[in-house]
Amino acid sequence: MNETVLVTGATGTTGSALVELLLEHDVAVRAMVRSDAAAARFAGTAVTPVVADLDDPAAVASALAGVDRAYLVTPSSERAQVQQERFAELAAEAGVAHLVKLSQLAADEGSPVRFLRYHAAVERRIRELGIAATFLRPNLFLQGMLAMAGPIREGRLFAPIGDARVSAVDVRDIAAVAAAVLTGTGHEGATYTITGPAAYTHAEIAAVLGEATGRPVTFVDVPPAAFAEQLRGVLPDWQVEGLLEDYAHYARGEAAAVLPTVRDVTGREPRTAAEFARDHKAAFTPG
Ligand SMILES: NC(=O)c1ccc[n+]([C@@H]2O[C@H](COP(=O)([O-])OP(=O)(O)OC[C@H]3O[C@@H](n4cnc5c(N)ncnc54)[C@H](OP(=O)(O)O)[C@@H]3O)[C@@H](O)[C@H]2O)c1
């Protein structure tokens, strides 16, 4: 019988890309979503949607019934650690054979970055549970540029990062690693740090966005406080503070290593920032 793979965050950045890729494999794909309206997006596909909120343990337990492998992702909110640890506990109770958790590059319980601390704590809890698991630790998502598409369309890319290099990665390559792990063997117990094929400055990312759209984009190194000001009101304060910590970590040059994980796990080279920019040029081009 085909294995059943549950994808949490199936409407999100990595989860939606993963669902697409899993459909190319001989597995039953179950997509966890939060509403009937979100479930409707899978009508007419081979995906079976299941409605469950991570804060509703009974619904999550039902979503996990009969699942062989699961992909776990939540947004980085104040509740992420609790939500993820409980999901892992319910997965272990449900007899899930393999849990794939989306973590983050340099996850560490002693990190000054709150996101890296909670990811490491969840990884530790999953190890304690004894469930077979794989931890995916990607670097900065290139797709994060889409959240800044407004200023980029006006020719500016703002970030508090100076000339530090970051081996930012295309989410499609993270999803490809996740799909390979969820449909393959031999990945249990592994921790995969996932990077793009090169480490870029934000000035270089701005340049490739400009080349793709045919309009110059200039990188502007903003002070952290000004960056935070732009985000307040858009994101909860906890997340704004977390993003500042994240960018300080990038600015210290701690996310510049380039690793061969995408090639090693999927057999394909990761996409470059220029490929990302070309594939998303419509979003960065003024209407
Ligand atoms: N952004 C980066 O550069 C970066 C880099 C490395 C690691 N990461 C890690 O990536 C993770 C975020 O991944 P992502 O970008 O794929 O996530 P995302 O796009 O923010 O998607 C989050 C998903 O979780 C769902 N969700 C939110 N709250 C839920 C709840 N209470 N119950 C059930 N589902 C819920 C959302 O559903 P709705 O559609 O209903 O809201 C959505 O499908 C974070 O852990 C972050 O640390 C990010």
Side-chain angles (χ1 to χ4, degrees):
M1 201 175 71
N2 290 349
E3 285 194 332
T4 295
V5 179
L6 177 73
V7 178
T8 64
T11 56
T13 312
T14 59
S16 59
L18 174 60
V19 165
E20 289 294 318
L21 292 180
L22 287 175
L23 285 173
E24 297 167 10
H25 292 267
D26 189 22
V27 293
V29 184
R30 195 181 291 182
M32 196 174 110
V33 294
R34 280 204 280 185
S35 67
D36 291 333
R41 72 154 64 187
F42 299 107
T45 74
V47 176
T48 303
V50 54
V51 177
D53 193 298
L54 285 160
D55 289 321
D56 180 347
V60 173
S62 298
L64 282 163
V67 165
D68 298 289
R69 307 203 208 194
Y71 174 73
L72 173 59
V73 59
T74 73
S76 274
S77 79
E78 220 163 350
R79 300 198 41 70
Q81 183 175 339
V82 168
Q83 290 172 333
Q84 294 194 14
E85 290 183 354
R86 192 171 44 213
F87 182 93
E89 288 156 12
L90 292 166
E93 278 171 31
V96 170
H98 186 184
L99 180 59
V100 177
K101 171 191 153 41
L102 187 72
S103 182
Q104 186 169 336
L105 175 137
D108 179 350
E109 287 189 82
S111 171
V113 183
R114 65 193 67 193
F115 303 157
L116 302 182
R117 288 198 300 274
Y118 93 72
H119 277 304
V122 175
E123 290 182 5
R124 180 167 52 80
R125 180 71 188 124
I126 291 171
R127 278 190 218 100
E128 283 167 7
L129 288 166
I131 184 170
T134 308
F135 303 133
L136 307 184
R137 293 182 172 180
N139 204 350
L140 176 69
F141 297 176
L142 282 168
Q143 273 72 1
M145 297 296 145
L146 294 167
M148 306 185 215
I152 292 170
R153 283 194 291 270
E154 291 167 12
R156 296 280 186 274
L157 169 62
F158 298 98
I161 191 168
D163 57 6
R165 293 187 175 275
V166 180
S167 51
V169 60
D170 193 301
V171 161
R172 294 171 292 182
D173 294 319
I174 302 169
V177 171
V181 169
L182 284 160
T183 58
T185 55
H187 303 290
E188 295 83 352
T191 297
Y192 292 134
T193 295
I194 305 173
T195 75
Y200 311 101
T201 64
H202 271 47
E204 289 169 350
I205 294 175
V208 295
L209 289 168
E211 280 160 28
T213 60
R215 293 166 56 98
V217 178
T218 305
F219 166 60
V220 183
D221 182 27
V222 286
F227 186 65
E229 217 39 60
Q230 291 176 357
L231 298 172
R232 282 194 208 290
V234 183
L235 295 174
D237 283 351
W238 188 90
Q239 213 167 331
V240 174
E241 297 305 324
L243 280 173
L244 288 184
E245 292 163 4
D246 242 348
Y247 271 91
H249 152 73
Y250 301 143
R252 290 192 295 272
E254 294 169 0
V258 174
L259 295 170
T261 312
V262 173
R263 187 194 322 130
D264 288 352
V265 176
T266 72
R268 291 185 46 185
E269 294 299 325
R271 293 165 175 86
T272 62
E275 284 174 272
F276 164 80
R278 281 197 294 274
D279 291 346
H280 295 83
K281 71 176 177 188
F284 299 117
T285 307

